[in-house]
Amino acid sequence: MSWVRDASEAEYILDSVSKQQQVIPTSHAFSKFPNNEVLRVFQLDALTTQEEIVDILRSSLLEIFNVAPLQAIGSKYQEELFLSLDLLLYRLTTWRQGQSIGDRLQNLVLRDEGKAQEMDMQSVTSLVPNLAPRRSVLLVHLVFSVLLPYAIRKLRRQGLEEGWDREEDQTWRYYTMQSLRCLTAVWSALSLLNILHFLATGHYRTMTERLLSLKPVYGSQSMRRFTNLFYLNQHMWWKTWASLFATLRIGKYLSRALHTVMSVSSADSSSISDTICCACRSVPTLPQKSNCGHSYCYYCIKSRLADSEATGSFRCCRCGVAVHACFPA
């Protein structure tokens, strides 16, 4: 077959190039970064890596509280646990070194752009010690990046649990919930405009960095990047096998098998009483009915609908139907 022949020929070529590269003398000509702006892809990679690492650590933290004696604590104080983790990470990374974990992996560090303009050093892409952010600036950065998101999540969760937006009398709690929604919408709109401006100019990847005039620059000039030909070889083989699987339509049969398993699971779950919440398996608090007719707690269904704003719905925990609305039970 042609794909087998192409794969074999490419493997021989890559092995030959790899052997030739090993005998080439080492050169320091490319050991320093060019005198230009930090590439957008490096800045976005650092931001994405930081978010993924935080998600991994949060998941691991919740797993610790997944045992029976600690489940109630983990559920009740989830936001406080996340806040403690975020504060610890901020103290060990940004506060101490001026760079998050994601920035460090990309060899980036935050610089006070206001100082750089005063000293006429905007063109310098590496970090100069006297251009490091002041403690007061980092403190404001901590408020915007850690404390303020925690406060919004906490108020939002409490408002959903207690039904602040359902109160007939327009009390302060009702106005607080509406204000949170408006502020979140405004901040999201500003963040969208900021990321579009960043893609066009390469300056200030987040709104917080723009407000505080913090710009990521290269932290070390001695860092090198290598191209791993062995990785490229493995990647080529992966693409080859993926093409083969696509030709054989293995995914079609796996999808059928998964659908069968889901059908059996749905049949087993139908024996569960409809008087308990489909999500937390307890007596519903402020019971709600989904558009498919199953019971949820007010917070359970509202939080899932809020988390799935991009798609507008989530899969019912009981029957798997797309849930896009809820009604008082």
Side-chain angles (χ1 to χ4, degrees):
M1 292 182 290
S2 60
W3 65 271
V4 176
R5 183 178 64 256
D6 294 341
S8 301
E9 293 177 356
E11 182 183 14
Y12 173 76
I13 295 174
L14 287 176
D15 289 340
S16 301
V17 173
S18 177
K19 293 177 181 179
Q20 294 174 6
Q21 188 186 40
Q22 294 177 1
V23 300
I24 297 177
T26 304
S27 173
H28 298 282
F30 301 100
S31 61
K32 293 186 177 182
F33 290 102
N35 188 22
N36 56 11
E37 297 289 336
V38 180
L39 296 180
R40 296 171 180 82
V41 65
F42 290 164
Q43 299 185 51
L44 291 179
D45 280 347
L47 204 60
T48 305
T49 303
Q50 174 68 16
E51 294 174 354
E52 292 177 351
I53 291 175
V54 171
D55 288 340
I56 292 173
L57 293 177
R58 286 182 175 181
S59 300
S60 302
L61 182 61
L62 289 180
E63 287 295 330
I64 298 176
F65 289 86
N66 200 26
V67 294
L70 302 177
Q71 281 183 344
I73 298 177
S75 177
K76 184 177 181 180
Y77 299 103
Q78 175 178 323
E79 298 299 337
E80 284 71 18
L81 292 174
F82 288 168
L83 175 63
S84 302
L85 177 63
D86 293 342
L87 289 175
L88 178 62
L89 291 177
Y90 195 92
R91 174 65 179 85
L92 297 177
T93 56
T94 307
W95 184 265
R96 178 179 294 180
Q97 301 173 344
Q99 55 184 179
S100 64
I101 300 177
D103 290 340
R104 186 172 182 82
L105 293 177
Q106 290 293 336
N107 189 31
L108 301 179
V109 63
L110 293 177
R111 181 182 72 182
D112 192 333
E113 198 64 12
K115 286 184 179 180
Q117 292 178 359
E118 293 176 0
M119 303 175 64
D120 195 20
M121 300 180 65
Q122 301 97 312
S123 60
V124 179
T125 56
S126 60
L127 179 65
V128 179
N130 56 358
L131 295 182
R134 298 184 298 270
R135 291 298 187 187
S136 58
V137 175
L138 290 179
L139 188 61
V140 178
H141 185 269
L142 171 66
V143 172
F144 275 96
S145 59
V146 177
L147 299 181
L148 193 58
Y150 158 75
I152 293 176
R153 292 195 308 267
K154 186 67 176 178
L155 287 175
R156 184 180 179 183
R157 177 171 182 173
Q158 186 174 356
L160 288 175
E161 289 178 344
E162 299 179 2
W164 289 4
D165 57 344
R166 301 174 58 198
E167 294 184 355
E168 297 180 357
D169 297 332
Q170 296 183 352
T171 60
W172 66 270
R173 296 190 297 184
Y174 174 83
Y175 287 113
T176 300
M177 202 66 178
Q178 298 300 321
S179 300
L180 281 178
R181 290 181 176 177
C182 293
L183 290 175
T184 303
V186 171
W187 185 261
S188 299
L190 292 176
S191 299
L192 175 61
L193 294 176
N194 179 78
I195 195 64
L196 292 176
H197 186 269
F198 167 77
L199 293 176
T201 63
H203 298 296
Y204 304 114
R205 55 190 174 175
T206 65
M207 274 299 300
T208 302
E209 293 178 359
R210 180 175 296 277
L211 293 174
L212 300 178
S213 296
L214 296 177
K215 181 180 178 181
V217 295
Y218 292 121
S220 173
Q221 291 287 330
S222 60
M223 181 177 177
R224 302 180 185 179
R225 298 179 183 272
F226 296 95
T227 301
N228 192 332
L229 296 180
F230 293 102
Y231 167 76
L232 294 178
N233 189 15
Q234 294 174 3
H235 181 69
M236 183 204 65
W237 273 103
W238 170 256
K239 294 288 290 184
T240 303
W241 282 106
S243 301
L244 174 62
F245 290 153
T247 303
L248 298 178
R249 296 185 178 181
I250 294 180
K252 179 179 180 181
Y253 301 104
L254 292 178
S255 177
R256 289 181 178 178
L258 181 61
H259 180 72
T260 303
V261 173
M262 292 294 294
S263 300
V264 174
S265 301
S266 299
D268 293 339
S269 63
S270 61
S271 60
I272 301 176
S273 174
D274 197 43
T275 59
I276 65 174
C277 174
C278 298
C280 64
R281 297 293 190 268
S282 60
V283 178
T285 304
L286 297 175
Q288 298 284 310
K289 286 284 187 180
S290 61
N291 54 276
C292 58
H294 293 122
S295 299
Y296 286 87
C297 296
Y298 183 82
Y299 172 73
C300 291
I301 192 169
K302 283 291 187 178
S303 60
R304 282 165 172 76
L305 287 173
D307 293 339
S308 57
E309 289 180 355
T311 58
S313 63
F314 69 93
R315 293 293 177 182
C316 177
C317 303
R318 177 72 62 82
C319 62
V321 173
V323 177
H324 53 77
C326 62
F327 314 94

